[in-house]
Amino acid sequence: QKEVEQNSGPLSVPEGAIASLNCTYSDRGSQSFFWYRQYSGKSPELIMFIYSNGDKEDGRFTAQLNKASQYVSLLIRDSQPSDSATYLCAVTAAGTALIFGKGTTLSVSS
Amino acid sequence: GAVVSQHPSRVICKSGTSVKIECRSLDFQATTMFWYRQFPKQSLMLMATSNEGSKATYEQGVEKDKFLINHASLTLSTLTVTSAHPEDSSFYICSASPRGSQAYGYTFGSGTRLTVV
């Protein structure tokens, strides 16, 4: 059974702080790793994807991947109230569907 | 680019009736589409993989005779919930990726909120 684990939260951070979201996965064959953001009642939207070990930065977001530890993280710098949402970690191997974690709820207070 | 359109966005139906949900890739061809279901405060659960021109592949525990999937063209997949019951009430979301670009993530439709009364 392929699993993706996330802390459900809620994770509460003040505005302007760094939010750190973590994810572990069980399938060592996983090749692609994604972070999606989902607002209540809406479908997920892609924030970032990463394939290689290390860091990948895109604006205020940084994804980190450690395949040896089967660990993916997402850092959100200068958190804003509009970042309050559920963040879903998802992984896939070549040609397979995304497997999602249960998501971490982030709350950014102003 | 890479837009997936899903209709309807919201539907209320009576118990025992059938509901069809459409998923279209607007600006790319999708040989494979995925159907997910999400119950309140839970994550997305893959229901089935829809393959153009062939039978869908269903995940364990998903009744293929209840959730009929048709992928008749490279831009359209449909999910029909047959003989719907209140326990089928959920948020159904389709996703697709541009051909040859699965590794770059999947685009999701806007979802369909199904309520069975």
Side-chain angles (χ1 to χ4, degrees), chain B residues 6 15 29 44 49 55 65 77 109-110:
Chain B
Q6 186 174 343
S15 184
Q29 294 179 323
L44 282 74
T49 301
K55 292 182 178 180
D65 294 330
S77 175
S110 56

Side-chain angles (χ1 to χ4, degrees), chain B residues 18-64:
Chain B
S18 296
V19 173
K20 179 184 285 189
I21 302 170
E22 291 190 348
C23 180
R24 294 181 184 273
S25 56
L26 296 186
D27 50 3
F28 65 98
Q29 294 179 323
T31 55
T32 304
M33 292 185 176
F34 304 96
W35 287 95
Y36 290 84
R37 177 169 56 181
Q38 186 177 36
F39 292 107
K41 298 193 182 300
Q42 296 189 23
S43 189
L44 282 74
M45 296 301 297
L46 179 66
M47 297 177 65
T49 301
S50 171
N51 302 297
E52 186 268 334
S54 64
K55 292 182 178 180
T57 303
Y58 291 83
E59 295 299 300
Q60 189 174 6
V62 177
E63 300 175 56
K64 63 180 181 180

Side-chain angles (χ1 to χ4, degrees), chain A residues 56-76:
Chain A
K56 179 181 179 182
E57 186 174 317
D58 184 0
R60 296 187 295 114
F61 300 95
T62 298
Q64 299 174 317
L65 174 62
N66 184 325
K67 289 187 177 181
S69 301
Q70 296 175 244
Y71 174 87
V72 191
S73 68
L74 179 70
L75 299 178
I76 306 175

